[in-house]
Every structure is written in structure tokens, then in C-alpha cells.
């Protein structure tokens, strides 16, 4: 018992030392600031757009179309974005994208203040916002591994997730509350937050090593896709997460649940949007201090199964506290999958390919999130929101079981940093 206690104390001391090392790196802090402001803006904007479009149309399908409008640019630009991120300064790319997002928010604010918003206008501006995200997300994802040593990356990823989830709790709640003052007020704050994100990313002073400029060929353009296909554990992790969220994502139906099923109003929508982040934050803090050291693959599959079951509970619930609890469990399970996937992708990809691999990874994530919203919205319009959410949760559980058989290398994965230990 004394030996176990001593080992536990030593691990805790090492965790505190590593955490201190991370927090003393100004480039990492600037990165976290940029990502936090961007995430805050995104979450507030999502609540405002969801409520506003549903008020204008009263159609679940319109909520799905919002996700589709954001997803299509990502599909069209995925391979272009990967090439750009691998060839140019990733900091400047992210900053330019955040400025473009701020301008989209300014346009939405202006139209809202003048009562000139139409569904078509929202879809068009969200599409432009999707263009910005197609370049911003792989830029940020490819940038993080350059800011910390490989031995600290798992903790850095969990720390980044903790900060992100904290903002994700604040953003939807703030968006829902501020919507009472008008959609224009929310969009104005969103624009300011994106501007702060752009300013923060420019504070990173790390000089990137010169990367070889490959000749632009089909092999180079599709290099990220070929790399992922050649690594079964990475392909399994990315595709599992994609199908889990694609089928189980209930985000698009939250305005319907808040408005018609739970009768909670805009503040209730903000509460529902923030609930997954509460669970995710708790798990992220735990993983930052106790990173996954063994059975990483099995933990990922178990987390996806819990994600599906929590989705089913949310779909059937008509009581707000139970709905919030189910979403918190869902968010906690999801962050385990996110940490496993992001660590595998970023640590096992050469720096000169990280942009292209990150772009393909973001396409999978966009497919699960935005296309998942479209799937949920269209099914909700056809069979009803409750059936759409419950069937999606059942599909997620089925996919987790099937993927365990299809990707045994992922199932048997132990340590996430095996190749860089």
C-alpha cells in the first residue's frame, strides 16, 4: 500500500510539473487564447442562428440546411486547404480566416438590427463562414504540435480541450441570454470575439522550420488521404468518430426540443447547448492530470457506446434536468474520443504533412457535425425529432460494435505515444 501511495504521489507531482511547464509557454497561451475566442464566437453564433432561423421558418429542415451550408465549402476546399496550410504561415492563415468570420458576423448584426434577415441571407453568410472554417481549423490543428514537446502533447491536447470546453459552456449560455436583447447584439459580440482571436494568434512568435515545397501533383494534393488510409488505427479512429456523431448528433434538434418539447425558450437552448461542454470539461480536466496510458482503443470504443446511449436518453426525455444530464454525459464521453483521435493524428503525422492530414481530418469532423445536423434535420422533418434523435443514438451503438471488428489494431491500441516514447 505504501508503494502504491508513493507511486501515486510521484505521478501527481510529475503531472503538476508538466502542467507548470505548459503554462509557462507564451506561444501555447497565445494559441489557447485564439482558439478560445474563436470557439466562444462560434458557440454564441450557433445559438443565435439556430433560434433565429427556426423563428423565421418553424421548420426542422431549415436547421439541417444551416449545417449543410457550412459543410459544403469544407468538402469543396478540403484538399486546397491542406495544400495551403502546408505551404504558408499557419498563423497568418488562421488570422485571416478569423477576420473573415468577424466580417460575416458584422453582416448578420447589421441585417438583424434593421430587421432585414432572411433564411437565404443566413444560409449565404453561413456558407462564407464555412469557407473560413475550412482553412482555420486545419491551420490551428497543424500548429499545436509545433508549440510543445511530443512528450507533453497529450497533456497539451487535454489542456486545450479543457479551455475549449470551458468556453463552450459559457458561449451557448451567454448567447441564449443575450438573444433576449436581440440577435444583432449577439452577432456584434461574436464579431468582437473573432477579432480578438485574430489578434491572439498573431502573438505567437515561434519560428516554424522551413518545410520543403513539394511540386503540386495529384499525389501531393491527396497525400493526406493516402497517409490516413495507410494507418489503420488512425483511419479507424477518425471514421468511428465521424459515424458516431453523424448518426448520434442531436445538436440540430436542440432548438426544436427547447421550443416545442421542453418549452424552455432561448435560455433553455443555451443551457442545452452548454450541457455537453460541462461533461466534457470535467473529463478534460481529469485527462490533463491523468492522461490515457493504456487500453486507449477500448476506452475509445466504450466512450462511443456511452455517447450513443446518452443520445437515446436525451431523445426520449421530456424533463429539462434529465435532458441536461444526458447531454453532459454525452459530452464527457465525446471528449475521450476526441483526445484519442487528435493525439493519434497529430503525433503520428510528419510536420510537412500535418496541414493535409488535418484538412482531411476536419472534413471527417465536418461530415459528422454539419452533415450530421442536415441528417438530423431532414429525418426530424420526415419522422419527427424524437424518432430522429433516438434512431441516431441506436445507430451509434451499432457502429461502435461493428468498428471493433473492422479495426482490431485500434481496438488493441494501448499507448497513444508509442511511436514517440
Amino acid at each position: 500500500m505504501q508503494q502504491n501511495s508513493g507511486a501515486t504521489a510521484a505521478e501527481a507531482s510529475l503531472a503538476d510539473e508538466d502542467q507548470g511547464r505548459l503554462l509557462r509557454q507564451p506561444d501555447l497561451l497565445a494559441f489557447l487564447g485564439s482558439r478560445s475566442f474563436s470557439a466562444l464566437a462560434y458557440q454564441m453564433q450557433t445559438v443565435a442562428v439556430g433560434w433565429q432561423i427556426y423563428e423565421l421558418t418553424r421548420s426542422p429542415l431549415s436547421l439541417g440546411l444551416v449545417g449543410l451550408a457550412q459543410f459544403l465549402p469544407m468538402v469543396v476546399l478540403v484538399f486546397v486547404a491542406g495544400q495551403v496550410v502546408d505551404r504558408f504561415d499557419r498563423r497568418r492563415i488562421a488570422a485571416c480566416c478569423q477576420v473573415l468570420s468577424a466580417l460575416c458576423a458584422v453582416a448578420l448584426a447589421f441585417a438583424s438590427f434593421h430587421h432585414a434577415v432572411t433564411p437565404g441571407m443566413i444560409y449565404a453568410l453561413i456558407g462564407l463562414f464555412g469557407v473560413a472554417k475550412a482553412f482555420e481549423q486545419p491551420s490551428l490543428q497543424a500548429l499545436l504540435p509545433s508549440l510543445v514537446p511530443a512528450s507533453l502533447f497529450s497533456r497539451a491536447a487535454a489542456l486545450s480541450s479543457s479551455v475549449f470546453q470551458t468556453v463552450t459552456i459559457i458561449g451557448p449560455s451567454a448567447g441564449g441570454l443575450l438573444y433576449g436583447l436581440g440577435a444583432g447584439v449577439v452577432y456584434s459580440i461574436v464579431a468582437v470575439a473573432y477579432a480578438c482571436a485574430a489578434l491572439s494568434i498573431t502573438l505567437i512568435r515561434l519560428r516554424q522550420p522551413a518545410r520543403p515545397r513539394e511540386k503540386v501533383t495529384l499525389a501531393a494534393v491527396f497525400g493526406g488521404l493516402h497517409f490516413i488510409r495507410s494507418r489503420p488505427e488512425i483511419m479507424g479512429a477518425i471514421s468511428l468518430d465521424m459515424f458516431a456523431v453523424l448518426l448520434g448528433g442531436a445538436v440540430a434538434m436542440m432548438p426544436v426540443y427547447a421550443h416545442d418539447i421542453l418549452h424552455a425558450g432561448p435560455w433553455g437552448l443555451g443551457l442545452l447547448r452548454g450541457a455537453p461542454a460541462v461533461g466534457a470539461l470535467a473529463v478534460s480536466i481529469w485527462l490533463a492530470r491523468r492522461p490515457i496510458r493504456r487500453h486507449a482503443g477500448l476506452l475509445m470504443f466504450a466512450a462511443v457506446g456511452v455517447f450513443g446511449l446518452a443520445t437515446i436518453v436525451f431523445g426520449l426525455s421530456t424533463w429539462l434536468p434529465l435532458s441536461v444530464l444526458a447531454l453532459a454525459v454525452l459530452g464527457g464521453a465525446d471528449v475521450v474520443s476526441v483526445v484519442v483521435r487528435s493525439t493519434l493524428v497529430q503525433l503520428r503525422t510528419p510536420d510537412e504533412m500535418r496541414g493535409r492530414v488535418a484538412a482531411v481530418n476536419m472534413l471527417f469532423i465536418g461530415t459528422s457535425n454539419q452533415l450530421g445536423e442536415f441528417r438530423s434535420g431532414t429525418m426530424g422533418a420526415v419522422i419527427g425529432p424524437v424518432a430522429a434523435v433516438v434512431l441516431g443514438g441506436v445507430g451509434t451503438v451499432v457502429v461502435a460494435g461493428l468498428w471493433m471488428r473492422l479495426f482490431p489494431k485500434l481496438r488493441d491500441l494501448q499507448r497513444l505515444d508509442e511511436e514517440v516514447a
Side-chain angles (χ1 to χ4, degrees):
M1 289 294 293
Q2 290 179 346
Q3 290 180 345
N4 291 338
S5 299
T8 302
E11 289 181 357
S13 176
L14 181 60
D16 291 338
E17 181 181 345
D18 288 344
Q19 202 79 345
R21 289 173 60 190
L22 288 176
L23 295 177
R24 288 193 296 270
Q25 299 192 39
D27 286 338
L28 177 61
L29 295 179
F31 172 87
L32 294 177
S34 179
R35 187 167 187 245
S36 298
F37 279 118
S38 181
L40 176 66
Y42 175 79
Q43 294 296 332
M44 293 181 66
Q45 176 179 287
T46 299
V47 170
V49 166
W51 194 264
Q52 191 174 42
I53 196 75
Y54 191 66
E55 278 191 326
L56 290 171
T57 65
R58 287 292 192 271
S59 170
L61 179 60
S62 64
L63 298 170
L65 291 175
V66 170
L68 184 63
Q70 188 172 328
F71 170 71
L72 288 178
M74 192 175 299
V75 174
V76 174
L77 297 170
V78 56
F79 297 111
V80 176
Q83 283 288 311
V84 170
V85 171
D86 277 340
R87 289 172 176 271
F88 300 100
D89 190 326
R90 292 163 181 168
R91 297 166 297 177
R92 292 182 180 179
I93 295 169
C96 290
C97 293
Q98 289 159 351
V99 170
L100 177 58
S101 297
L103 294 175
C104 291
V106 168
L108 283 170
F110 181 83
S112 297
F113 282 129
H114 291 81
H115 306 287
V117 176
T118 64
M121 178 187 299
I122 292 177
Y123 297 142
L125 289 172
I126 290 300
L128 191 57
F129 174 78
V131 172
K133 282 296 179 185
F135 289 87
E136 180 197 5
Q137 291 181 347
S139 298
L140 292 177
Q141 189 178 52
L143 185 60
L144 179 58
S146 304
L147 304 180
V148 295
S151 60
L152 294 178
F153 182 80
S154 181
R155 294 184 188 275
L159 176 62
S160 177
S161 181
S162 300
V163 175
F164 174 80
Q165 299 301 341
T166 300
V167 174
T168 306
I169 295 170
I170 298 170
S173 302
L177 290 173
L178 291 171
Y179 195 90
L181 301 177
V185 174
V186 180
Y187 294 134
S188 298
I189 297 175
V190 166
V192 172
Y194 275 125
C196 291
L199 177 61
S200 296
I201 202 74
T202 60
L203 298 178
I204 296 178
R205 299 304 179 192
L206 179 69
R207 295 183 62 85
Q208 297 292 309
R211 292 186 292 272
R213 295 289 182 88
E214 295 181 61
K215 185 178 179 180
V216 180
T217 64
L218 283 177
V221 170
F222 294 101
L225 184 59
H226 292 318
F227 179 84
I228 290 173
R229 290 180 60 189
S230 70
R231 306 300 294 266
E233 71 279 16
I234 296 179
M235 183 65 185
I238 291 176
S239 58
L240 173 63
D241 187 78
M242 180 190 75
F243 280 106
V245 180
L246 174 65
L247 294 173
V251 173
M253 291 295 98
M254 285 185 184
V256 181
Y257 271 79
H259 193 283
D260 299 335
I261 297 175
L262 301 173
H263 307 290
W267 71 272
L269 175 58
L271 194 61
L272 293 178
R273 293 283 308 193
V278 174
L281 174 61
V283 175
S284 296
I285 293 173
W286 174 263
L287 291 177
R289 293 186 58 81
R290 298 287 187 271
I292 298 172
R293 299 192 184 280
R294 54 185 179 273
H295 307 307
L298 287 176
L299 283 173
M300 183 177 188
F301 283 112
V304 172
V306 171
F307 181 93
L309 293 174
T311 300
I312 295 171
V313 173
F314 170 75
L316 295 174
S317 174
T318 57
W319 185 39
L320 183 61
L322 178 60
S323 299
V324 170
L325 178 61
L327 290 173
V329 172
L330 178 152
D334 184 53
V335 83
V336 175
S337 175
V338 169
V339 168
V340 172
R341 185 196 71 238
S342 63
T343 303
L344 279 175
V345 171
Q346 297 184 56
L347 280 189
R348 301 191 180 193
T349 303
D351 182 70
E352 65 272 11
M353 289 190 64
R354 279 189 178 131
R356 282 166 287 174
V357 172
V360 176
N361 184 33
M362 296 315 300
L363 175 63
F364 277 80
I365 295 173
T367 298
S368 61
N369 291 334
Q370 279 76 51
L371 198 58
E373 290 182 20
F374 180 67
R375 191 276 316 165
S376 184
T378 52
M379 285 187 66
V382 175
I383 64 176
V386 174
V389 173
V390 171
L391 286 177
V394 172
T396 299
V397 176
V398 172
V399 165
L402 180 61
W403 254 238
M404 287 188 70
R405 295 180 61 88
L406 292 177
F407 295 94
K409 191 169 184 179
L410 176 61
R411 181 193 63 210
D412 298 334
L413 181 69
Q414 293 293 318
R415 290 174 59 91
L416 295 174
D417 59 348
E418 285 174 343
E419 297 189 10
V420 296

